[in-house]
Amino acid sequence: MPEDTIFAKIVRGEIPADVVYRDEHVTAFRDIHPQAPVHVLIVPNRVIPSALDVTEEDEPVLGRLFTAARRVAEQEGLADGFRLIVNCRAHGGQEVDHLHLHLMGGEPLGPMRVRRR
Ligand code: 5GP
């Protein structure tokens, strides 16, 4: 069932996470394997599997992901900037089938992608 993602369990409080923000649409918590000094995942409370599964009905919650990102960035002192990433399905390297924003910052992050040639 799509509701049974690991992130849905975190949203429902069934497994622990370091939650930094939550409201009626989204929940934000620290990534268990941070790749930057600040690495927070922001997820819709209701499962949307990936960026290829969003619909017009999801627009309020998709907008909330961004305002939540701004709130978390302010809380975390990221006034110098940060990076937001959404991985989608296999080629995007998506591991958890529950749409999420990666909010990463706390130091200069360098180029977005290392070119192969
Ligand atoms: P994706 O590759 O799907 O874009 O990113 C999934 C992210 O979820 C990874 O950065 C991974 O470290 C994180 N993650 C996976 N399982 C858990 C968990 O149980 N708790 C937390 N806080 N993060 C998780």
Side-chain angles (χ1 to χ4, degrees):
M1 297 225 315
E3 310 72 69
D4 277 340
T5 71
I6 192 133
F7 293 167
K9 290 186 168 77
I10 288 172
V11 169
R12 297 196 298 262
E14 293 168 9
I15 62 169
D18 188 354
V19 173
V20 297
Y21 175 78
R22 77 165 88 235
D23 64 29
E24 76 277 23
H25 285 312
V26 304
T27 300
F29 51 90
R30 295 191 196 282
D31 196 292
I32 204 165
H33 295 126
Q35 294 179 46
V38 175
H39 187 172
V40 170
L41 303 173
I42 310 171
V43 311
N45 292 342
R46 189 179 56 76
V47 178
I48 301 167
S50 82
L52 274 168
D53 300 295
V54 301
T55 68
E56 284 75 7
E57 276 181 21
D58 298 320
E59 286 173 2
V61 70
L62 297 173
R64 187 64 61 84
L65 289 172
F66 272 78
T67 48
R70 190 262 301 156
R71 293 174 79 121
V72 172
E74 288 174 355
Q75 275 174 216
E76 299 289 326
L78 302 182
D80 287 337
F82 52 90
R83 181 169 291 156
L84 295 174
I85 296 175
V86 177
N87 295 323
C88 180
R89 295 194 184 171
H91 282 195
Q94 184 177 4
E95 292 172 7
V96 179
D97 293 335
H98 185 150
L99 180 73
H100 48 283
L101 278 188
H102 292 259
L103 187 162
M104 301 164 79
E107 65 183 11
L109 296 174
M112 190 173 70
R113 178 164 183 249
V114 178
R115 291 197 177 277
R116 281 173 291 182
R117 58 179 176 265

